[in-house]
């Protein structure tokens, strides 16, 4: 605000003029209010002041509303101000009420509207823009090229029917106003042309222009000498535009709401998918950790089993060594038994020989007593030697038997120790089996729990997805119901329009018939009166023929009758003229009704276009919903396939673990059976 005042004072000084005190006082008041409205209403501004203000406003970026009503602007001053406002980019409201703007002012306004891209509201009440047709046409050209004006006030501007035709051309050409009215937050285009001299032709021109315009929602036409039917048609066209704007806004709001809901569903679906993938990754990590732990545990069990196998192999080696030693001892025992049997055989042989020798000696005793005594001594000596040998052999046998007994005791001790070790190993194997079974059962329980958790989570996700699918189906059903209601409303409106058209046609026909019947009755009455007059004339002629004597009196009566006949003919001609006027009036009314019907037809066409647009939007929304449903179904199927794959992997892991457990069990059974067979093989 201070910058505007300083710039105004500087430019006044540069121009060599004194600033107006009223303008400075008004700027001082506005300085205290700190608003964005420059109000100079009622200030008499000179041309130089207008020139400086135009230069200041061309560079100003503070004020958004300028009020210059009742400022007694000259043509030159108005031109300076409007030329300066052409380059302004912030002013949205301009009030030029009561400044008596004429030709050059209208041209400057047309230039302003053609160049300015920010002006939204323009007040031109109580001016004289419509006096010069050429200047007003330039104003209308600038208005037609403008794409941002929303509200225009042209009250009391002396606009005639030619100016109205120019405004109708503006309504036809300015198609960008439709986009402005639908895309901005401001109201659609408003126009006020009250208290001008538009007339019937201008009203019809505006009505034709409104047939090609879809943004004008408010039009004031009072005090323009426009017939009531034309005013009603203009009001209907404006109401149709307002209905169209409201329906477009509603459809736009609905599409925005639906797009937001679809975006929310997509985001929620993405979050659910990400959470599901996170849970799957977590489960995969947990299964990997469990599989690694199982592999580590199986490796530990295999290592323990290999250690046990190595211990069992060492024990079997020791057992084999003891069995070999026992076999050697048994061989020694067998050899000693053989020696003992040989010694017994030798003894028996020796005893036999000795008995034989004794018998032989007894036989030869007599002959050889001296020899026999010597031989008996030698035999006794040999006997004693043999006895000593037998005793030594018996001692050796006893010692060997003692050794065999000790070896047997050692063997029994070693067998007992082996049995204890085998029992301990079996107990350890049983403990390890129990531990492995417990671990497998724990792993199975954990996996069952994880699978149950995953199944529950998937069931919950499926329920949520089904609920959302049901919600979407309900929304789709609601949209279809709304479409059916809109179609029913369109059908009812069309039926009502057709009924109204039929009623209007029947009314027109009835009125025509009534008019024709009334005219025929009038013609009959005239003919009857004419026939009566003709009969009266014939009667008068007969009376003239019969009463020729009374010719003077009858001539006066004939003159009077002739005057009466002339009056009747004049009345007949007047009635015929009235009849023609009534026929012309009926034709005009029919043409106006036909115009109303055409306007209603165009309105019905607009409704059909709206219904078609709504149907297309509903189809697009339905296709989007179907695509979203298909995407969700594909995601559900992919998740189910992943779940099946996970279950297959879990089943394969279970089978592998069962195979490993069966292999371990078979190995342990084979080891136990082999150890038991090795233990019992020596006894056999």
């Amino acid at each position: 605000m201070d910058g505007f005042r300083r710039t105004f004072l500087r430019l006044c000084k540069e121009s060599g003029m004194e600033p107006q005190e009223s303008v400075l006082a008004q700027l001082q008041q506005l300085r205290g209010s700190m608003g964005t409205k420059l109000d100079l209403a009622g200030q008499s501004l000179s041309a130089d002041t207008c020139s400086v203000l135009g230069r200041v406003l061309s560079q100003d970026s503070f004020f958004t509303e300028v009020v210059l009503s009742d400022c007694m602007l000259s043509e030159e001053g108005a031109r300076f101000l409007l030329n300066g406002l052409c380059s302004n980019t912030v002013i949205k409201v301009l009030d030029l009420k009561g400044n008596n703007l004429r030709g050059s002012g209208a041209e400057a306004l047309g230039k302003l509207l053609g160049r300015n891209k920010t002006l939204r509201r323009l007040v031109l009440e109580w001016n004289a823009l419509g006096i010069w047709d050429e200047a007003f046409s330039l104003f209308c050209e600038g208005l037609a090229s403008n794409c941002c004006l929303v509200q225009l006030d042209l009250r009391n501007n002396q606009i005639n029917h030619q100016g109205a035709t120019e405004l109708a051309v503006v309504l036809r050409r300015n198609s960008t106003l439709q986009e402005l009215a639908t895309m901005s937050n401001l109201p659609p285009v408003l126009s006020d042309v009250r208290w001008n001299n538009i007339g019937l032709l201008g009203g019809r021109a505006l009505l034709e222009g409104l047939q090609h315009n879809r943004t004008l929602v408010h039009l004031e036409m009072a005090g323009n000498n426009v017939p009531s039917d034309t005013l009603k048609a203009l009001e209907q066209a404006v109401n149709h535009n307002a209905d169209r704007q409201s329906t477009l806004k509603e459809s736009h709001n609905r599409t925005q709401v639906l797009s937001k809901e679809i975006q929310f569903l997509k985001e929620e679906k993405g979050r659910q998918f990400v959470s599901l993938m996170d849970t799957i990754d977590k489960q995969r990590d947990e299964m990997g950790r469990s599989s690694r732990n199982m592999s580590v545990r199986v490796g530990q069990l295999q290592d323990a089993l290999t250690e046990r196998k190595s211990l069992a192999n060492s024990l079997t080696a020791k057992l084999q060594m003891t069995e070999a030693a026992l076999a050697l001892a048994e061989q020694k025992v067998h050899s000693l038994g053989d020696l003992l049997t040989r010694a017994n055989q030798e003894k028996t042989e020796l005893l036999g020989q000795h008995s034989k020798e004794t018998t032989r000696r007894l036989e030869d005793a007599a002959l050889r007593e001296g020899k026999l005594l010597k031989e008996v001594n030698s035999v006794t000596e040999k006997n004693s030697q043999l006895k000593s040998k037998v005793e030594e052999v018996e001692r050796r046998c006893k010692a060997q038997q003692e050794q065999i007994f000790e070896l047997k005791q050692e063997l029994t001790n070693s067998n007992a120790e082996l049995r204890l070790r085998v029992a301990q190993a079996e107990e350890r194997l049983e403990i390890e089996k129990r531990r492995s079974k417990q671990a497998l059962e724990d792993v199975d329980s954990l996996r069952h729990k994880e699978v149950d958790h995953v199944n529950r989570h998937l069931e919950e996700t499926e329920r949520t997805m089904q609920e959302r699918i049901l919600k979407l189906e309900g929304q789709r059903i609601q949209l279809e119901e709304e479409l059916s209601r809109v179609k029913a409303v369109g059908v009812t409106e069309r039926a009502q329009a057709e009924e109204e058209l039929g009623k209007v046609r029947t009314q027109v026909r009835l009125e025509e018939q009534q008019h024709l019947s009334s005219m025929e009755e009038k013609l009959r009455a005239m003919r009857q009166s004419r026939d009566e007059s003709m009969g009266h004339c014939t009667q008068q002629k007969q009376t003239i023929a019969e009463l020729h004597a009374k010719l003077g009196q009858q001539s006066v009566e004939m003159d009077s009758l002739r005057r009466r006949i002339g009056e009747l003919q004049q009345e007949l001609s007047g009635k015929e003229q009235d009849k023609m006027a009534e026929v012309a009036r009926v034709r005009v009314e029919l043409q106006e009704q036909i115009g109303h019907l055409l306007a209603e037809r165009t309105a019905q066409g607009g409704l059909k276009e709206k219904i078609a647009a709504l149907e297309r939007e509903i189809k697009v929304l339905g296709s989007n919903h179907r695509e979203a449903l298909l995407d969700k179904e594909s995601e559900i199927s992919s998740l189910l396939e992943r779940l099946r794959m996970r279950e297959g992997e879990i089943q394969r892991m279970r089978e592998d673990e069962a195979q490993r457990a069966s292999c371990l069990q078979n190995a342990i059974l084979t080891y136990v059976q082999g150890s038991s067979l090795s233990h019992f093989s020596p006894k056999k």
Side-chain angles (χ1 to χ4, degrees), residues 62 94 179 220 242 248 278 307 319 383 402 411 447 481 561 578 601 610 612 621 683:
F62 179 74
L94 178 61
E179 297 178 1
E220 294 290 341
L248 286 174
D278 292 335
E307 289 178 359
L319 185 60
N383 251 335
E402 289 175 355
L411 183 60
R447 285 180 181 171
E481 288 176 355
L561 289 172
D578 294 332
R601 180 180 286 178
K610 289 193 285 185
L621 291 172
K683 291 181 181 181

Side-chain angles (χ1 to χ4, degrees), residues 59-111:
Q59 300 175 358
D60 181 60
S61 61
F62 179 74
F63 291 110
T64 60
E65 183 177 356
V66 177
V67 180
L68 299 172
S69 60
D70 300 324
C71 289
M72 301 298 290
L73 298 177
S74 63
E75 294 289 331
E76 187 178 3
R79 188 172 64 252
F80 287 149
L81 270 173
L82 295 173
N83 289 331
L85 288 172
C86 287
S87 59
N88 189 280
T89 58
V90 294
I91 291 177
K92 296 181 180 180
V93 180
L94 178 61
D95 190 353
L96 295 173
K97 175 183 176 182
N99 285 292
N100 198 18
L101 299 178
R102 294 176 181 271
S104 59
E107 292 178 0
L109 282 170
K111 184 178 178 182

Side-chain angles (χ1 to χ4, degrees), residues 51 86 114 188 260 271 278 311 356 398 463 529 661:
S51 176
C86 287
K260 287 180 182 178
R271 289 195 295 272
D278 292 335
L311 290 172
K356 288 178 180 178
K398 288 179 180 178
R463 283 196 297 273
S529 63

Side-chain angles (χ1 to χ4, degrees), residues 22 59 243 273 295 413 431 637 656 669 681:
S22 60
Q59 300 175 358
D243 293 336
F273 181 73
S295 61
N413 292 327
I431 293 166
S637 62
D656 294 333
L669 290 172
S681 61

Side-chain angles (χ1 to χ4, degrees), residues 429-566:
L429 285 173
E430 288 293 331
I431 293 166
E432 291 295 332
K433 283 181 183 179
R434 290 170 186 168
R435 288 179 182 175
S436 62
K437 286 181 181 180
Q438 187 68 30
L440 289 172
E441 288 176 356
D442 294 333
V443 170
D444 288 330
S445 64
L446 287 172
R447 285 180 181 171
H448 283 301
K449 289 179 181 178
E450 289 173 355
V451 170
D452 293 332
H453 180 68
V454 170
N455 289 324
R456 286 194 299 272
H457 184 67
L458 287 172
E459 288 176 355
E460 291 176 355
T461 54
E462 286 179 355
R463 283 196 297 273
T464 54
M465 293 296 286
Q466 287 178 359
E467 289 176 356
R468 285 183 184 148
I469 288 166
L470 291 173
K471 288 181 181 177
L472 289 172
E473 288 290 330
Q475 292 177 359
R476 183 176 65 81
I477 291 165
Q478 290 178 0
L479 289 173
E480 290 178 354
E481 288 176 355
E482 289 180 358
L483 177 60
S484 63
R485 285 197 295 271
V486 169
K487 287 182 178 179
V489 170
V491 171
T492 53
E493 288 179 354
R494 183 176 179 182
Q496 289 176 1
E498 289 178 354
E499 287 177 359
E500 289 176 357
L501 181 61
K503 289 178 181 179
V504 169
R505 286 178 179 174
T506 53
Q507 188 176 1
V508 168
R509 288 175 183 173
L510 290 171
E511 288 177 356
E512 287 178 355
Q513 290 177 0
Q514 289 175 1
H515 284 295
L516 290 173
S517 62
S518 63
M519 293 302 294
E520 286 176 357
E521 288 175 358
K522 288 179 181 179
L523 285 172
R524 290 193 195 96
M526 293 299 293
R527 285 175 183 174
Q528 288 177 1
S529 63
R530 188 184 64 184
D531 293 333
E532 289 175 358
S533 64
M534 289 299 290
H536 190 67
C537 287
T538 54
Q539 288 178 2
Q540 289 295 327
K541 285 178 181 180
Q542 289 176 2
T543 54
I544 288 168
E546 293 175 352
L547 301 171
H548 189 67
K550 296 178 181 180
L551 183 60
Q553 293 178 0
Q554 292 296 325
S555 61
V556 175
E557 290 177 359
M558 284 294 293
D559 292 331
S560 64
L561 289 172
R562 285 174 184 173
R563 285 194 298 272
R564 188 176 178 185
I565 289 167

Side-chain angles (χ1 to χ4, degrees), residues 60-302:
D60 181 60
S61 61
F62 179 74
F63 291 110
T64 60
E65 183 177 356
V66 177
V67 180
L68 299 172
S69 60
D70 300 324
C71 289
M72 301 298 290
L73 298 177
S74 63
E75 294 289 331
E76 187 178 3
R79 188 172 64 252
F80 287 149
L81 270 173
L82 295 173
N83 289 331
L85 288 172
C86 287
S87 59
N88 189 280
T89 58
V90 294
I91 291 177
K92 296 181 180 180
V93 180
L94 178 61
D95 190 353
L96 295 173
K97 175 183 176 182
N99 285 292
N100 198 18
L101 299 178
R102 294 176 181 271
S104 59
E107 292 178 0
L109 282 170
K111 184 178 178 182
L112 171 66
L113 291 173
R115 291 185 180 180
N116 191 280
K117 304 298 181 184
T118 58
L119 194 62
R120 295 288 185 272
R121 183 171 179 265
L122 181 59
V123 180
L124 299 173
E125 185 182 359
W126 288 105
N127 288 288
L129 299 177
I131 290 178
W132 302 100
D133 295 335
E134 294 180 356
F136 192 72
S137 65
L138 293 174
F139 169 75
C140 290
E141 286 182 0
L143 181 61
S145 62
N146 188 276
C147 61
C148 58
L149 189 65
V150 175
Q151 187 172 359
L152 179 62
D153 191 350
L154 292 173
R155 287 179 289 177
N156 293 299
N157 272 275
Q158 300 181 16
I159 300 171
N160 54 13
H161 64 279
Q162 293 181 357
T165 55
E166 294 292 336
L167 288 175
V169 172
V170 169
L171 292 177
R172 289 181 182 178
R173 288 176 56 191
N174 200 343
S175 60
T176 58
L177 291 174
Q178 180 181 0
E179 297 178 1
L180 175 69
T182 57
M183 296 303 292
S184 67
N185 293 324
L186 294 171
V189 177
L190 305 175
S191 182
D192 193 347
V193 292
R194 288 180 289 179
W195 308 110
N196 289 287
N197 193 14
I198 291 174
L200 176 62
L201 297 176
R204 289 181 179 177
L206 287 174
L207 182 59
E208 291 179 358
L210 279 175
Q211 301 300 324
H212 302 280
N213 187 279
R214 294 291 181 271
T215 59
L216 194 67
V217 298
H218 186 73
L219 180 63
E220 294 290 341
M221 290 287 293
N224 282 286
N225 295 323
V226 180
S228 61
D229 54 352
T230 306
L231 288 175
K232 288 181 181 178
L234 289 169
E235 186 178 359
Q236 287 179 358
V238 171
N239 291 330
H240 283 307
N241 289 337
D243 293 336
R244 183 175 180 275
Q245 294 297 329
S246 62
T247 52
L248 286 174
K249 285 182 181 179
E250 288 178 359
S251 63
H252 184 66
N253 293 327
R254 287 180 182 177
T255 52
Q256 285 182 351
V257 171
L258 291 173
S259 62
K260 287 180 182 178
E261 289 181 357
I262 291 167
Q263 187 67 27
F264 177 72
L265 289 173
K266 286 182 179 179
E267 291 177 357
E268 190 172 1
K269 180 183 72 175
R271 289 195 295 272
Q272 288 180 357
F273 181 73
V274 169
S275 63
L276 185 60
M277 292 301 293
D278 292 335
T279 54
I280 289 170
D281 292 333
K282 289 179 181 179
Q283 290 174 2
R284 186 183 295 170
D285 295 334
E286 290 178 358
M287 290 178 69
R289 286 196 296 272
S290 63
S291 62
R292 286 194 294 272
N293 293 326
M294 285 297 296
S295 61
V296 170
R297 288 179 183 177
V298 170
Q300 291 176 359
L301 290 172
Q302 287 180 353

Side-chain angles (χ1 to χ4, degrees), residues 375-389:
E375 287 178 356
V376 169
N377 291 323
S378 62
V379 169
T380 53
E381 289 177 358
K382 287 180 181 179
N383 251 335
S384 62
Q385 291 177 357
L386 288 170
K387 285 181 181 179
S388 63
K389 288 180 180 180

Side-chain angles (χ1 to χ4, degrees), residues 559-576:
D559 292 331
S560 64
L561 289 172
R562 285 174 184 173
R563 285 194 298 272
R564 188 176 178 185
I565 289 167
E567 288 175 358
L568 289 173
Q569 287 179 355
Q570 288 178 2
E571 288 178 359
L572 182 61
S573 62
K575 288 180 179 180
E576 286 178 354

